[in-house]
Amino acid sequence: MASKDRQQMEIVERGDIFFLYRPRVGQTDPESLSDVQRFFVVLRPEHATKARLLVVGRKRLPDAHEHERNWGFVGAIAGSAAALEKDLREERYDTKTRGRQRLPAARPAGEGRYLVALLNGQLHLSYALELPERPSEVQRAFKIAPQASFALSVKNPEKPSPPGFGLGQAQEPDYPDRLQREFRGRRFAREDITLLDVQGAEFILVGARTDPEKAYNVELDVEKEDERHPEMLRELKMAKSRHPLEPLFSGEWA
């Protein structure tokens, strides 16, 4: 079966993957998922002038071993990973009932390499971690395994969402006709990664494999990272003064 899969597999994208989380309003010392407002995944394809900021539901990845299913959406599209950093900074705003509020800056929770492959008509997103070298409590909380693979499907905005899922109508993606035709009237499209290049695009991740390199006979091009100059800081231009970095190196909450 594995050899048949490999014969029908096409790698459509490779790049850097970054995992981040943002604590809840006013929460300066998060210690668990209950203290987290959102969990993000940044995909920065190589040889491309774009980067995607994905917001993953349930504030964690689906468990690949259990074949869990999680919903998410594209929070932002930019011409570079660095251009997304402004969406991850601390925010301060005024409210009528609670006064001045502080939304903490996002913290990095992991970085590595990813690839998207088309396997028997279905997109699969696979990744392998480079940092932290020894995943710990933060990575366990967000289900960031050393490596994993997920079946990836993109929802047709013209079809109703499953109960409990989906963005409001004002936030739904506005696909150009060329991309909307890729759905061919189906509820989900499973073959075209460019459907994620539109803000508001909704997707489903389903846990598929815990060992994608072995399962698909692919190389994820993981390299040993220099902790003094991690790829995330270079690509996202994350200033240490704005974003606590302990979770990326030690795996401990910050």
Side-chain angles (χ1 to χ4, degrees):
M1 180 66 180
S3 61
K4 180 180 178 182
D5 284 348
R6 290 197 292 269
Q7 290 173 3
Q8 299 185 38
M9 188 176 73
E10 174 190 0
I11 296 176
V12 297
E13 186 173 290
R14 286 183 180 269
D16 295 315
I17 187 168
F18 307 127
F19 303 99
L20 307 101
Y21 66 95
R22 188 193 291 278
R24 291 184 181 276
V25 172
Q27 180 58 258
T28 56
D29 297 301
E31 297 180 345
S32 68
L33 280 189
S34 62
D35 299 326
V36 173
Q37 177 166 309
R38 276 190 168 171
F39 175 57
F40 304 105
V41 177
V42 173
L43 300 180
R44 204 280 296 171
E46 59 187 26
H47 311 307
T49 55
K50 65 182 174 185
R52 311 178 186 96
L53 178 68
L54 312 182
V55 180
V56 181
R58 300 172 68 185
K59 299 183 292 189
R60 62 175 178 82
L61 295 174
D63 190 314
H65 185 266
E66 298 294 332
H67 305 296
E68 282 188 322
R69 176 184 306 238
N70 277 11
W71 167 86
F73 65 93
V74 178
I77 296 286
S80 68
L84 294 174
E85 191 269 339
K86 66 181 185 300
D87 295 304
L88 302 169
R89 294 179 186 175
E90 176 184 302
E91 298 178 18
R92 294 178 183 267
Y93 57 93
D94 294 312
T95 66
K96 291 183 178 180
T97 57
R98 296 185 178 182
R100 189 74 165 168
Q101 295 291 298
R102 173 178 174 264
L103 182 63
R107 283 88 156 120
E111 71 171 54
R113 294 285 293 172
Y114 81 93
L115 64 80
V116 177
L118 186 60
L119 178 62
N120 298 328
Q122 170 69 63
L123 291 172
H124 284 251
L125 168 65
S126 303
Y127 78 88
L129 274 185
E130 294 174 325
L131 286 176
E133 291 186 2
R134 295 179 179 84
S136 188
E137 53 182 334
V138 167
Q139 290 70 42
R140 288 192 291 270
F142 294 109
K143 300 291 184 181
I144 306 172
Q147 61 173 282
S149 179
F150 311 95
L152 169 65
S153 302
V154 184
K155 180 187 169 293
N156 185 346
E158 295 183 353
K159 298 292 183 179
S161 297
F165 293 91
L167 297 171
Q169 187 173 1
Q171 297 174 286
E172 288 183 345
D174 183 17
Y175 283 110
D177 291 342
R178 176 185 62 82
L179 284 178
Q180 184 62 45
R181 286 194 292 269
E182 292 295 316
F183 290 101
R184 302 199 297 276
R186 299 169 297 172
R187 193 174 184 180
F188 291 94
R190 299 175 172 85
E191 310 91 353
D192 190 351
I193 189 62
T194 64
L195 290 171
L196 284 186
D197 293 341
V198 177
Q199 184 168 337
E202 298 176 78
F203 59 86
I204 295 288
L205 292 175
V206 181
R209 301 280 189 172
T210 58
D211 56 351
E213 289 191 315
K214 180 179 179 181
Y216 306 140
N217 192 31
V218 296
E219 294 287 340
L220 281 157
D221 301 333
V222 172
E223 298 179 351
K224 183 176 177 58
E225 281 293 317
D226 181 354
E227 290 195 2
R228 294 171 300 175
H229 306 287
E231 193 74 25
M232 183 180 291
L233 268 64
R234 293 197 299 270
E235 292 287 344
L236 283 171
K237 304 292 190 237
M238 296 180 71
K240 297 178 182 179
S241 59
R242 290 197 187 113
H243 304 275
L245 303 181
E246 291 91 335
L248 179 63
F249 301 130
S250 68
E252 297 178 358
W253 289 100

